[in-house]
Amino acid sequence: MEIVHLSAECYPVAKAGGLGDVVGALPKYQCKAGHIAKVVMPMYRTPFLYNHEWSVDFKGHANLANWYFDFTVIKEKHNTLGYDLYLIDINGLLDRQKIYGYDDDTERFTAFQIAGLTWMKSWEHRPDVVHCHDYHTGLTPFIMRYAFDFQALSGIKTIFTIHNAQYQGWMTWDKSRYIPRWDLWKRGMLEWANNINPLASAVKCCDRVTTVSQSYLEELKFQSNGLEKLFEYERGKCVGILNGIDNEVWNPATDNYLQHHFSITSVTKGKEKNKELLCHRFGFDLQKPLIVFIGRLVGEKAAELLPDAIAGAIYQFGHTASYLILGSGEHQVEGRLTDMLMPFSGTYNAVIGYDEKLSHLMYAGADFLLMPSRVEPCGLNQMYAMRYGTVPMVRSTGGLKDTVVDMGETEGFGIRFDQATAGDIIYSIGRAIQVYRDKNFLLLMRERMMQIDHSWENTVQQYDQVYQS
Ligand code: ADP
């Protein structure tokens, strides 16, 4: 099959979270399984662009309402990532350093989709599947079906994968003029709650919807930022497929970002060497358990609970553990985490920002990884942590529920809690501190989790079945 992935993120080209990891890896493993998988994404000005060689594949033009724009499609020359990677450049819209967060994101991603489909229309053949990811590419199924100038693409099957249903890309109706001339009778296929809703439109118009875990699919019917009824109604076309992890990138034995490599047979020593680096850099005591958090500092991740939970744990258990945070997001949370640096120095530290290298060292060197998420469609952090022998401490929700077994259960290796509250987090920290003293059990848990196979090979087959269906 020929599969074209349309996405706003793709690691290592541009990544803000799990979406980037998935789109960076899934096509690679689809190609290994014998498919032709391609990724099409915006040409942001990230280091990857300047460090690789490109050839121009196509030059075209299109319209966004009455703005006529030129675009260029470039292709990475050497198949570095294991699949064909195409970047679309639109001057004035996509030539930015960041992926999101601009006032004209609606215009940026709508124009990206129009350009991508205009280019695809010029192909001499048709791919089997167009696979769209999250709301940034959510208008694509509608345009392919109902825009007059894109009828040539209407026979291609479309899959829409939801990595995060909180962000839906709402647009007011005056922006409907951005969408290329479409069949006005189909207004309902764009609309949700009196707005254009790209995520809802994709769910309505595509052939199959996938979510990144089975539990998340179930949760969407009860909690999906206003789309609950839609997911209930469309449940027949929805399938939950747990994300894989790229074992070539996330392998403690070969990880390019690590100075000290290790495997399951050398996990205790290997982790200790990485922990030493962290303790040295952040002023921690090597003997104490190191509990870390990596992620976006937003409500979904329950990040605003971290200051109270850490302060509460230090108050309750004294300076018996070390805490390290890596993340960025809401300014208020960033501020509170920064304010705690002085009073808790030696026990707590935080890096506000995005740091891929440090994140790898933290997965490798930490003893516990905390994820108190309110919503977690799949969650990759806990899977990376498990691969690196770091005990996940997670709230029982979405993909976290599907991947982590509490240490109190048979074959357990993690710590689970039910509520996204400071109280539940503090209680779990208490369990972590206690289990850290039992070195034999800690090793047993590490060995159990490191043997779990979350590789993409298995996941690719599940996507195959969806495509075939
Ligand atoms: P989400 O996509 O909701 O942010 P996921 O758990 O699916 O959450 O994926 C998060 C990915 O982003 C992981 O690879 C994690 O290591 C990475 N990540 C998140 N925040 C940071 C950060 N501040 N620095 C480095 N990596 C980060």
Side-chain angles (χ1 to χ4, degrees), residues 15 17-19 21 250 294-296 301 326-327 353-356 359 363 376 379-381 384:
K15 164 180 162 183
L19 168 64
D21 284 337
W250 297 94
I294 301 168
R296 294 179 293 120
K301 306 282 178 195
L326 167 62
Y354 189 94
D355 189 334
E356 191 75 29
S359 77
Y363 290 117
E376 198 58 84
L380 293 169
N381 299 19
Y384 298 146

Side-chain angles (χ1 to χ4, degrees), residues 167-392:
Y167 308 98
Q168 301 172 359
W170 308 273
M171 298 157 67
T172 44
W173 272 104
D174 58 315
K175 296 196 171 164
S176 64
R177 64 187 195 283
Y178 290 162
I179 303 170
R181 281 187 322 117
W182 48 279
D183 179 354
L184 294 176
W185 286 99
K186 303 297 179 203
R187 182 185 161 106
M189 300 302 260
L190 283 174
E191 178 163 357
W192 195 262
N194 299 324
N195 277 321
I196 297 176
N197 184 320
L199 189 116
S201 170
V203 172
K204 293 180 191 186
C205 298
C206 71
D207 293 288
R208 286 287 182 277
V209 177
T210 69
T211 61
V212 289
S213 74
Q214 186 59 42
S215 290
Y216 187 54
L217 175 57
E218 294 309 315
E219 285 170 14
L220 287 176
K221 292 175 200 157
F222 303 102
Q223 193 189 20
S224 49
N225 215 354
L227 302 185
E228 296 78 9
K229 286 204 170 68
L230 177 65
F231 285 109
E232 181 57 43
Y233 183 75
E234 296 284 12
R235 64 181 183 278
K237 61 157 100 149
C238 299
V239 183
I241 302 178
L242 194 69
N243 282 337
I245 60 171
D246 191 339
N247 279 344
E248 288 172 9
V249 176
W250 297 94
N251 182 353
T254 54
D255 190 325
N256 288 334
Y257 289 113
L258 294 186
Q259 216 172 310
H260 304 293
H261 293 125
F262 61 93
S263 64
I264 193 161
T265 50
S266 55
V267 56
T268 307
K269 268 245 137 43
K271 283 188 76 68
E272 192 169 284
K273 281 196 191 145
N274 286 293
K275 186 175 173 182
E276 256 170 39
L277 294 177
L278 287 171
C279 288
H280 181 71
R281 174 164 166 193
F282 294 105
F284 297 141
D285 181 345
L286 184 64
Q287 304 310 321
K288 296 177 185 168
L290 175 57
I291 301 172
V292 303
F293 171 96
I294 301 168
R296 294 179 293 120
L297 300 175
V298 296
E300 276 176 275
K301 306 282 178 195
E304 83 290 352
L305 297 177
L306 293 171
D308 285 346
I310 292 172
I314 295 174
Y315 178 73
Q316 201 163 325
F317 310 117
H319 295 264
T320 46
S322 313
Y323 306 87
L324 178 61
I325 309 267
L326 167 62
S328 59
E330 287 165 14
H331 293 309
Q332 210 188 354
V333 182
E334 291 182 356
R336 287 186 65 204
L337 290 169
T338 309
D339 289 346
M340 289 169 53
L341 288 174
M342 277 288 275
F344 296 122
S345 134
T347 297
Y348 159 83
N349 218 320
V351 174
I352 304 299
Y354 189 94
D355 189 334
E356 191 75 29
K357 185 172 183 204
L358 176 59
S359 77
H360 283 244
L361 181 60
M362 286 169 71
Y363 290 117
D367 300 299
F368 299 90
L369 176 98
L370 176 63
M371 296 180 78
S373 310
R374 290 200 173 82
V375 184
E376 198 58 84
C378 173
L380 293 169
N381 299 19
Q382 83 281 12
M383 296 202 252
Y384 298 146
M386 283 146 65
R387 186 120 167 91
Y388 286 64
T390 301
V391 178

Side-chain angles (χ1 to χ4, degrees), residues 1 3 24-38 79-84 245-249 455-458 460-461 464:
M1 270 186 279
I3 306 141
L26 174 61
K28 179 164 85 180
Y29 290 92
Q30 287 178 325
C31 286
K32 285 188 182 182
H35 299 302
I36 302 168
K38 303 173 173 177
N79 199 273
T80 317
L81 304 180
Y83 47 83
D84 287 341
I245 60 171
D246 191 339
N247 279 344
E248 288 172 9
V249 176
S455 61
W456 273 105
E457 279 84 359
N458 180 21
V460 162
Q461 283 179 14
D464 272 6

